[in-house]
Amino acid sequence: MSQTRISIDVMGGDRDVETVLTGVTLALEHRPETEFLLFGDAKLIEPLLDKFPTLKAASKVHHCDVSIDMDMKPSQALRQGRKTSSMWQAIDAVNTGIADGVVSAGNTGALMAMSKVILKTLNGIERPAIAAIWPTMKGETIVLDMGATIGGSAEQYFQFAVMGDAYARIIFGLESPRISLLNIGVEEMKGTDSVKQASDLLTSSSLNFCGYVEGNGISQGDVDVVVTDGFTGNVALKTAEGIAQLISGYLKQVMVSSIFARIGYIFARGAFGALKERLDPDNVNGGTFLGLNGIVVKSHGGASPKGIAAAVELAIEVAANKMSEKIADEMDKMEEELLAIQE
Amino acid sequence: MSQTRISIDVMGGDRDVETVLTGVTLALEHRPETEFLLFGDAKLIEPLLDKFPTLKAASKVHHCDVSIDMDMKPSQALRQGRKTSSMWQAIDAVNTGIADGVVSAGNTGALMAMSKVILKTLNGIERPAIAAIWPTMKGETIVLDMGATIGGSAEQYFQFAVMGDAYARIIFGLESPRISLLNIGVEEMKGTDSVKQASDLLTSSSLNFCGYVEGNGISQGDVDVVVTDGFTGNVALKTAEGIAQLISGYLKQVMVSSIFARIGYIFARGAFGALKERLDPDNVNGGTFLGLNGIVVKSHGGASPKGIAAAVELAIEVAANKMSEKIADEMDKMEEELLAIQE
């Protein structure tokens, strides 16, 4: 496939249309072989597009009257935004095949609910998962699920591992990604029953299962995929964000605490810039929905243009690599393994 | 009570006996009205005590032949360390009343298992919890449970809230601590059923319940107590530790990345020292076991003398304030409220 077509829910998120268009334009610079379908209020989008001639040339605007609010409940979004909303139509473009993937910075719950209704889960997948990319001491690690499912059976954890494996092969280019389960201790006796059963299943499978990691293991970067349920994963992600903010707040305070610190800061400014860059969530923006018949990438609602570009480029990458098909293939193979293990 | 008596499991943890004794001596300097009962290998402790004349004068050594390894499973520890181990005897000193509280840097699972067997849970408490003290942007917040129980019913969350409330009153000196439940969204529809039911119970109670917080809310410091189950709490704590290590690693890298950064670092050294101090886990070391007939404080296994001192001082503080009795009283009152709500 030479050209990838990505649909964008331009109205989603906390940012204005111009920020979204700036981000998409940035992604287009890096991936010029891309076509965009922009779903949203044409009265807002079209005048702004004149500012982005490259994007204008590579995109088509699809007017939608309705947009989904960030604080709408999923059920409400499904009722009020069915067919008509920019979010629905952007996802539906993947379903009808006019787009290879969709990106939205909108309401996560609504995006997941609509994606499930429109795209359906892949054959054999009970529930989809949201996969995040975490910075680690050694690079990056995929963590899933980030909040699509609460709790989970051993089979669900197993499916998450299979999906995480396929995702890691694509975005990290690995032959045999190292898979682990998040737990509260490395001893066998700890953890919930379904985590323990999942560990047994994974040990017997052909996946490269490396056992349990604890919360601090995520950022150590010794594994490529960390599997957990959506409640725990979401708490871990948000806790990590909170601690990063806390430390950054402390850093600001100490850096103005004395004249020496101020002078030091001036000299070290470049280094601080580099630090900020490495910790910038925008650099790894993009929660990928795994397990659906189609590519859906969620950008952070408050992402900067650079963050939006990162999410769009991620969508291009996984769409160009036909991730959904690869997950479906791997799932088929693994279902057989699972049956053999369980017999 | 003029004098508080604390029993110490000298053999627990990853540190040597001297580190433990240095920490206990430091605590004694701050709280000179304390008496210590030191449980462990007398052949190791007694010669070292000559180096710590103040501690020697304020303590009594109880020889124990057995010590509990850090990697022993709780069931194994109970079998091999029953009656004979330093951990068992140090806890038992609280049960027999010769100590007002116990501190151990040993194996958390073993310490909890033995504490439950020896001290038993308070009347009305289904399961004990481990409470941690987190640094926040505005001070400190209590988070529980940190790993004593996995999963939990609405009633258990309610009990954790009551225990956290009593603990916050004592260590923060608050009249009406702000209580919250950890969840994955502030919308009512999110979260597990038991978290939602717990929210209903807490809303109807006389506790100062402030609703849900997400993971990033812990370090914002807008509430005094965050209630969650042991699996999620433990993952959150470990994830936070991992992120702090990651950022500190980044910081070290950028600070030597250029000559300007190096010069800057020299000027800002004092400020970095202050940053390190604020992030030092030793300053808030001490996981308090809540819901037992007696005070048990777990110190981090790898704590420095300052960290051990912090844990010992915490034990003195809660023992001197008769925390177990206060929790029992509040629990009695709350049980009545709970019955009234549930009718």
Side-chain angles (χ1 to χ4, degrees):
Chain A
M1 179 166 54
S2 59
Q3 197 156 41
T4 307
R5 298 152 305 166
I6 300 294
S7 65
I8 309 280
D9 168 20
V10 180
M11 310 310 285
D14 304 317
R15 298 299 188 146
D16 56 22
V17 172
E18 185 163 358
T19 305
V20 176
L21 297 182
T22 310
V24 178
T25 306
L26 206 57
L28 179 62
E29 275 173 32
H30 300 149
R31 309 281 300 229
E33 296 286 290
T34 317
E35 223 176 84
F36 292 100
L37 289 69
L38 308 173
F39 291 85
D41 187 345
K43 291 189 303 298
L44 288 173
I45 299 169
E46 276 168 352
L48 279 168
L49 265 185
D50 291 328
K51 285 196 192 176
F52 305 97
T54 52
L55 180 61
K56 192 174 180 176
S59 64
K60 204 175 159 220
V61 178
H62 295 258
H63 175 74
C64 309
D65 280 322
V66 179
S67 60
I68 302 298
D69 288 348
M70 289 303 267
D71 55 2
M72 252 186 206
K73 294 185 184 181
S75 55
Q76 208 181 349
L78 276 175
R79 273 196 310 276
Q80 294 178 23
R82 196 173 193 96
K83 311 270 181 192
T84 54
S85 63
S86 58
M87 186 183 275
W88 180 284
Q89 294 196 24
I91 300 166
D92 200 47
V94 177
N95 187 42
T96 58
I98 61 168
D100 303 304
V102 53
V103 176
S104 172
N107 182 325
T108 309
L111 187 65
M112 180 51 88
M114 286 190 182
S115 298
K116 282 198 277 190
V117 169
I118 300 170
L119 300 173
K120 313 262 179 342
T121 52
L122 288 167
N123 203 5
I125 300 283
E126 273 177 77
R127 295 190 192 183
I130 304 173
I133 303 168
W134 281 52
T136 72
M137 309 219 181
K138 294 168 187 166
E140 290 174 341
T141 293
I142 292 164
V143 188
L144 77 162
D145 171 41
M146 282 298 136
T149 68
I150 291 176
S153 64
E155 284 76 18
Q156 264 174 46
Y157 286 115
F158 184 82
Q159 292 184 354
F160 288 177
V162 173
M163 299 195 287
D165 181 70
Y167 187 45
R169 283 168 199 263
I170 292 170
I171 64 164
F172 299 151
L174 295 169
E175 289 243 330
S176 179
R178 292 159 300 176
I179 315 282
S180 66
L181 279 168
L182 189 60
N183 202 344
I184 65 167
V186 285
E187 300 143 59
E188 289 148 48
M189 35 101 16
K190 289 185 178 172
T192 62
D193 288 340
S194 44
V195 170
K196 283 184 264 181
Q197 287 158 15
S199 165
D200 292 342
L201 292 180
L202 288 165
T203 305
S204 309
S205 80
S206 61
L207 290 172
N208 183 6
F209 179 58
C210 305
Y212 298 133
V213 292
E214 295 190 65
N216 53 341
I218 303 173
S219 20
Q220 278 163 4
D222 293 328
V223 292
D224 305 302
V225 179
V226 177
V227 173
T228 187
D229 85 288
F231 191 88
T232 314
N234 191 285
V235 166
L237 181 73
K238 293 283 172 73
T239 301
E241 282 176 11
I243 292 292
Q245 278 166 11
L246 179 72
I247 294 176
S248 139
Y250 280 174
L251 204 57
K252 275 181 202 147
Q253 279 176 23
V254 296
M255 279 302 126
V256 295
S257 60
S258 74
I259 183 74
F260 291 108
R262 280 170 203 259
I263 294 171
Y265 181 73
I266 292 165
F267 276 98
R269 206 157 40 184
F272 277 108
L275 178 69
K276 221 178 143 187
E277 177 79 17
R278 292 193 71 166
L279 293 177
D280 188 353
D282 280 347
N283 286 331
V284 285
N285 190 33
T288 304
F289 291 5
L290 303 180
L292 296 164
N293 284 299
I295 304 299
V296 182
V297 173
K298 165 71 172 72
S299 165
H300 198 285
S304 69
K306 203 170 76 179
I308 291 164
V312 171
E313 288 172 51
L314 185 61
I316 297 169
E317 184 67 21
V318 291
N321 278 286
K322 300 196 178 301
M323 183 178 68
S324 295
E325 290 83 342
K326 283 189 181 154
I327 290 178
D329 289 347
E330 195 165 331
M331 205 57 230
D332 281 347
K333 205 184 96 196
M334 285 296 163
E335 280 290 310
E336 284 168 32
E337 269 193 22
L338 196 59
L339 284 172
I341 295 166
Q342 285 174 331
E343 258 161 24
Chain B
M1 179 165 56
S2 57
Q3 198 155 41
T4 307
R5 296 153 307 167
I6 300 293
S7 65
I8 309 281
D9 168 21
V10 180
M11 310 311 286
D14 302 316
R15 299 300 188 145
D16 56 22
V17 172
E18 185 162 358
T19 306
V20 176
L21 298 183
T22 310
V24 177
T25 305
L26 207 56
L28 179 63
E29 275 172 32
H30 300 148
R31 310 282 300 227
E33 295 287 288
T34 316
E35 223 175 85
F36 292 99
L37 289 70
L38 308 174
F39 291 85
D41 186 345
K43 290 188 302 297
L44 288 173
I45 299 170
E46 276 168 353
L48 279 167
L49 265 185
D50 291 327
K51 286 197 192 174
F52 305 96
T54 52
L55 180 61
K56 191 174 181 175
S59 64
K60 202 173 160 222
V61 178
H62 296 257
H63 176 73
C64 310
D65 281 320
V66 180
S67 60
I68 302 297
D69 288 348
M70 288 305 264
D71 55 2
M72 251 185 207
K73 294 186 184 180
S75 56
Q76 208 182 348
L78 276 176
R79 271 198 311 276
Q80 293 178 22
R82 196 174 193 95
K83 310 270 181 193
T84 54
S85 64
S86 59
M87 187 183 274
W88 179 285
Q89 293 195 23
I91 301 166
D92 200 48
V94 177
N95 186 42
T96 57
I98 61 168
D100 303 302
V102 53
V103 175
S104 172
N107 182 326
T108 309
L111 187 65
M112 180 52 88
M114 285 190 182
S115 298
K116 282 199 276 190
V117 170
I118 299 171
L119 300 173
K120 314 262 179 337
T121 53
L122 287 166
N123 203 5
I125 300 283
E126 273 177 76
R127 293 189 192 185
I130 304 173
I133 302 169
W134 280 52
T136 73
M137 308 219 184
K138 293 169 186 165
E140 290 174 343
T141 293
I142 292 163
V143 188
L144 77 163
D145 169 39
M146 282 298 136
T149 68
I150 290 176
S153 65
E155 284 75 18
Q156 262 174 46
Y157 285 116
F158 184 83
Q159 293 183 354
F160 287 178
V162 173
M163 297 195 289
D165 181 71
Y167 187 44
R169 282 168 201 263
I170 292 170
I171 65 165
F172 299 151
L174 296 168
E175 288 243 329
S176 179
R178 291 159 302 175
I179 315 284
S180 67
L181 278 168
L182 189 60
N183 203 344
I184 65 166
V186 285
E187 301 141 58
E188 289 148 47
M189 36 105 10
K190 290 185 177 170
T192 62
D193 288 340
S194 44
V195 169
K196 284 185 264 181
Q197 287 159 14
S199 165
D200 292 342
L201 292 179
L202 288 165
T203 305
S204 309
S205 79
S206 60
L207 290 172
N208 183 7
F209 179 58
C210 305
Y212 297 133
V213 293
E214 294 189 65
N216 54 340
I218 304 174
S219 23
Q220 277 163 6
D222 293 328
V223 292
D224 305 302
V225 178
V226 177
V227 173
T228 189
D229 85 286
F231 191 87
T232 314
N234 191 285
V235 166
L237 180 75
K238 293 282 172 72
T239 301
E241 283 176 9
I243 292 293
Q245 278 165 10
L246 179 71
I247 295 176
S248 140
Y250 280 174
L251 204 56
K252 275 180 203 147
Q253 279 176 22
V254 297
M255 280 301 126
V256 295
S257 59
S258 74
I259 182 74
F260 291 108
R262 281 171 202 259
I263 294 170
Y265 181 73
I266 292 165
F267 275 97
R269 207 159 38 185
F272 277 109
L275 178 69
K276 221 177 142 189
E277 176 80 17
R278 291 192 71 169
L279 292 176
D280 187 352
D282 281 347
N283 286 330
V284 286
N285 188 33
T288 304
F289 291 6
L290 303 180
L292 297 164
N293 284 299
I295 304 300
V296 182
V297 173
K298 166 70 172 74
S299 166
H300 198 287
S304 69
K306 204 171 74 178
I308 291 163
V312 172
E313 288 172 52
L314 184 62
I316 297 169
E317 185 66 22
V318 292
N321 278 286
K322 298 194 177 304
M323 185 178 67
S324 294
E325 290 84 339
K326 282 187 181 156
I327 290 179
D329 288 348
E330 197 166 328
M331 206 55 229
D332 281 347
K333 207 183 93 195
M334 284 297 164
E335 280 288 311
E336 284 169 32
E337 270 192 24
L338 194 60
L339 285 173
I341 296 166
Q342 286 175 329
E343 258 161 24

